[in-house]
Amino acid sequence: MPSVKKSLNLAANGNLMELDAIVIGSGIGGLVTATQLAAKGAKVLVLERYLIPGGSAGYFEREGYRFDVGASMIFGFGNKGTTNLLTRALQAVNVSLETIPDAVQIHYHLPEDLNIRVHRDYEKFLQELIENFPQERHGIRQFYDECWQVFNCLNAMDLLSLEEPRYLTRVFFEHPMACLGLVKYLPMNAGDVARKYITDPTLLKFIDIECYCWSVVPAEMTPMINAGMVFSDRHYGGINYPKGGVGQIALKLVEGLEQAGGEIKYKARVTKIITEDGRAVGVKLATGEEYRAKRIISNATRWDTFEQLLPAEEMPPTEKKWQQRYQKSPSFLSLHLGVEADVLPLGTECHHIVLEDWQKMELPEGTIFVSIPTLLDPSLAPEGYHILHVFTPSWFEDWRGMSENEYEEKKEEAAGRIIERLEKIFPGLDAGLDYMEVGTPRSHRRFLGRDDGTYGPIPKRKLAGLLGMPFNRTAVPGLYCVGDSTFPGQGLNAVAFSGFACAHRVAVDLGL
Ligand SMILES: NC(=O)c1ccc[n+]([C@@H]2O[C@H](COP(=O)([O-])OP(=O)(O)OC[C@H]3O[C@@H](n4cnc5c(N)ncnc54)[C@H](O)[C@@H]3O)[C@@H](O)[C@H]2O)c1
Ligand SMILES: CC(C)=CCC/C(C)=C/C=C/C(C)=C/C=C/C(C)=C/C=C/C=C(C)/C=C/C=C(C)/C=C/C=C(\C)CCC=C(C)C
């Protein structure tokens, strides 16, 4: 007989107390929801299938190296405005993190020797771009300045649930122009705005890769609201690396959650969301244990939530409609490398994008992403060594149905191809290798519990900006979603927003 915990937890006074909310998963989306709810006095339990928190923002340690699971380019750690959502999420539960500012967001190495660095200093970045495209000097400024208009609207107001009418009324009266600005930009895509000002085909391709490297789609499919956030905040709050590695964000949020009275259980894989009369009332774990709560919040992807945790054949029509509009983005092939420090020339930047042929930008192994977090925090590697996290898009289907040997061989071949391409930027990389671990879409599926290891949802065709992305409530009463399958999509700062919004909506529904 499985043990059944009918939402009964012991309160400090020894009385039995009902859980207000269960959060399935401790990615940054799930943890921000949980900490926000706990800070409002809700009794929250987070159930995480893995051994540590963080999901895509987790870490692992090997032979003296501490590797980030995902990228190390972190937005949201600014110290002013309202869009610094990671800073705010930590503050809400009385914890904080030391961060290290990054002077250059990305160094692009593009076809025909187009080399561009996105400096933290906005004017310096514009000048470098204008030097490469002098005939487009006005268009460049007009496009990026319009991104600031979006950002300034967002950065003026409290960022909470757009599903809460009283909040919407309040922000509208407090910031009418900013709200109208956002209403204007919600259905727009960055590519259409860029084409108003820019005609040079190579510069338009540059705008494409500026979007692709975080949205995994070209500019014409990238929502303008998100482009406004990314293209401005990198110069405003900046890109800041958490001291001790990206994994510290989740560890700190857990510390704050526990101090605020919340609880997290690891190795707690939810296999089923329990419904009664069509309402979500609890969850069942792989061990057979059951937990019940007033509200259930899933930080798993929508595909996992509505096809695995709930019966796929009972998928609500709204979800079917969403799946017609959005598809899973590719996953990544990841090389976690430890390299001798002298492989990196003095002045090397922390993040690089490498592409040799514009036609290949969206293809598997087309664009290469490189993060070198040890340039900002050397404590993550043994003295005299650096970490290179190299990743490139790859589809789950390409890694299916092979023997263990075939799988290992395919990994080695793919790693060899990537390292050979990187030799042009970091000569001596191969000879300087000290450690290498290769992750595939299968690893992403296995360790992050994400369907097909996907990085997140992408539009199947050109859509009206962010309008198609669902908020946190779902068609199943009592069930909410949070994370990159909800508005506004991928990115740690974006899922932090989704966490703030989800907790706000749930708190109002709970009458807190
Ligand atoms: N994939 C990448 O390479 C990568 C890299 C950098 C950043 N990111 C960003 O990370 C963000 C993802 O954040 P998020 O909060 O949406 O999700 P997440 O995938 O980071 O976290 C989800 C968490 O839920 C857990 N989980 C999933 N199913 C579960 C189940 N059935 N039972 C218990 N636990 C379960 C997972 O183990 C994970 O910890 C994205 O925005 C993405 O842009 C991804
Ligand atoms: C009242 C009335 C009338 C009206 C109202 C209206 C309104 C209010 C509206 C609102 C809206 C909102 C709030 C919105 C929001 C939004 C947001 C927050 C957004 C955000 C976003 C963010 C993002 C997108 C981010 C992203 C990032 C990323 C993804 C990153 C990534 C990275 C990577 C991958 C890296 C790579 C690279 C290398 C390594 C080089």
Side-chain angles (χ1 to χ4, degrees):
M1 239 329 242
S3 67
V4 178
K5 300 201 176 175
K6 289 232 171 217
S7 62
L8 301 177
N9 278 23
L10 274 185
N13 60 8
N15 290 337
L16 291 173
M17 153 174 178
E18 198 181 6
L19 282 172
D20 288 313
I22 288 174
V23 180
I24 307 170
S26 67
I28 298 303
L31 285 177
V32 171
T33 313
T35 45
Q36 284 291 306
L37 281 171
K40 292 177 208 290
K43 183 80 193 148
V44 189
L45 172 65
V46 179
L47 297 167
E48 168 55 54
R49 67 203 280 284
Y50 194 47
L51 310 166
I52 56 163
S56 308
Y59 68 96
F60 61 96
E61 289 175 335
R62 300 277 189 279
E63 299 183 14
Y65 294 96
R66 185 181 294 165
F67 293 107
D68 297 325
V69 165
S72 55
M73 184 196 294
I74 312 294
F75 295 80
F77 270 128
N79 53 18
K80 51 188 176 172
T82 58
T83 49
N84 53 348
L85 295 170
L86 290 178
T87 305
R88 286 167 169 262
L90 293 166
Q91 271 169 358
V93 281
N94 302 315
V95 286
S96 63
L97 253 180
E98 196 182 327
T99 59
I100 307 157
D102 196 352
V104 172
Q105 181 215 7
I106 299 183
H107 183 161
Y108 287 101
H109 310 259
L110 299 173
E112 288 137 44
D113 287 330
L114 181 59
N115 254 281
I116 291 175
R117 286 163 304 163
V118 182
H119 300 273
R120 194 178 182 109
D121 182 312
Y122 181 54
E123 280 305 320
K124 202 168 164 189
F125 160 59
L126 288 193
Q127 284 318 317
E128 189 155 325
L129 196 54
I130 288 169
E131 271 166 34
N132 283 279
F133 300 96
Q135 72 289 6
E136 290 279 15
R137 61 168 21 87
H138 299 299
I140 288 173
R141 199 169 276 283
Q142 282 166 313
F143 170 65
Y144 285 104
D145 278 359
E146 186 149 355
C147 292
W148 277 100
Q149 288 179 29
V150 177
F151 180 76
N152 291 338
C153 292
L154 284 170
N155 204 36
M157 60 177 68
D158 270 353
L159 298 177
L160 290 170
S161 175
L162 302 185
E163 294 181 285
E164 219 294 278
R166 271 174 306 172
Y167 157 73
L168 283 183
T169 315
R170 174 169 69 82
V171 288
F172 186 71
F173 280 107
E174 284 172 2
H175 308 282
M177 296 319 287
C179 285
L180 293 174
L182 290 172
V183 170
K184 174 176 133 193
Y185 287 114
L186 275 171
M188 287 191 193
N189 289 304
D192 295 332
V193 178
R195 278 177 173 76
K196 278 199 306 185
Y197 304 120
I198 294 170
T199 51
D200 184 291
T202 309
L203 182 55
L204 287 170
K205 284 182 189 144
F206 175 73
I207 305 289
D208 274 338
I209 200 158
E210 276 258 86
C211 291
Y212 178 81
C213 69
W214 49 271
S215 71
V216 207
V217 281
E220 65 158 357
M221 312 253 271
T222 299
M224 184 60 187
I225 295 260
N226 288 358
M229 271 292 281
V230 169
F231 295 157
S232 309
D233 193 31
R234 60 192 185 181
H235 309 289
Y236 179 86
I239 305 296
N240 300 285
Y241 188 74
K243 203 162 177 2
V246 171
Q248 295 300 316
I249 307 172
L251 291 174
K252 279 285 172 193
L253 285 171
V254 166
E255 189 184 315
L257 173 72
E258 290 176 337
Q259 278 168 22
E263 199 188 336
I264 181 163
K265 284 184 192 297
Y266 299 107
K267 295 197 267 181
R269 183 164 66 88
V270 173
T271 50
K272 184 178 170 186
I273 294 173
I274 302 168
T275 54
E276 282 172 5
D277 300 325
R279 183 179 179 83
V281 293
V283 297
K284 184 172 182 181
L285 301 192
T287 54
E289 281 172 284
E290 291 180 7
Y291 291 89
R292 297 166 74 93
K294 293 178 191 161
R295 297 291 187 278
I296 309 299
I297 299 157
S298 176
N299 185 207
T301 72
R302 287 198 108 76
W303 294 282
D304 290 286
T305 305
F306 288 96
E307 291 174 14
Q308 307 295 332
L309 303 182
L310 286 166
E313 57 286 359
E314 289 170 26
M315 190 185 293
T318 45
E319 289 304 319
K320 287 189 185 150
K321 208 165 158 194
W322 182 78
Q323 289 197 1
Q324 283 161 13
R325 292 193 194 132
Y326 286 87
Q327 60 184 347
K328 282 170 254 179
S329 74
S331 183
F332 285 102
L333 172 78
S334 279
L335 276 53
H336 297 277
L337 310 177
V339 301
E340 287 168 11
D342 54 17
V343 169
L344 302 181
L346 213 65
T348 302
E349 294 78 14
C350 180
H351 296 104
H352 300 256
I353 294 278
V354 182
L355 178 69
E356 299 89 348
D357 178 353
W358 287 115
Q359 303 302 323
K360 296 191 174 158
M361 182 182 84
E362 292 180 74
L363 298 184
E365 288 184 33
T367 303
I368 302 179
F369 303 68
V370 183
S371 283
I372 316 175
T374 39
L375 288 168
L376 298 172
D377 183 354
S379 75
L380 303 172
E383 209 180 320
Y385 292 87
H386 276 295
I387 284 175
L388 258 75
H389 179 198
V390 180
F391 49 105
T392 185
S394 181
W395 291 97
F396 189 78
E397 289 73 53
D398 294 340
W399 296 88
R400 256 189 226 277
M402 52 187 86
S403 70
E404 209 41 47
N405 275 351
E406 285 167 340
Y407 179 59
E408 288 305 321
E409 256 172 49
K410 191 173 159 99
K411 283 207 300 192
E412 202 153 311
E413 281 167 17
R417 283 193 296 273
I418 301 293
I419 289 174
E420 198 180 321
R421 284 168 64 191
L422 288 180
E423 279 280 341
K424 287 176 200 119
I425 294 158
F426 306 115
L429 175 62
D430 194 18
L433 278 183
D434 170 56
Y435 182 85
M436 174 161 87
E437 182 145 335
V438 182
T440 69
R442 272 164 61 168
S443 331
H444 277 78
R445 165 73 236 179
R446 181 163 164 222
F447 291 105
L448 303 180
R450 297 175 67 91
D451 199 13
D452 290 349
T454 178
Y455 171 68
I458 50 172
K460 278 189 179 168
R461 53 178 189 282
K462 189 175 169 186
L463 298 175
L466 263 182
L467 286 187
M469 276 303 271
F471 297 118
N472 305 103
R473 283 193 289 201
T474 70
V476 178
L479 177 67
Y480 302 73
C481 280
V482 70
D484 58 21
S485 301
T486 58
F487 183 100
Q490 289 102 326
L492 291 193
N493 208 24
V495 300
F497 170 79
S498 140
F500 273 91
C502 186
H504 180 203
R505 187 60 252 176
V506 171
V508 172
D509 291 347
L510 286 170
L512 290 174

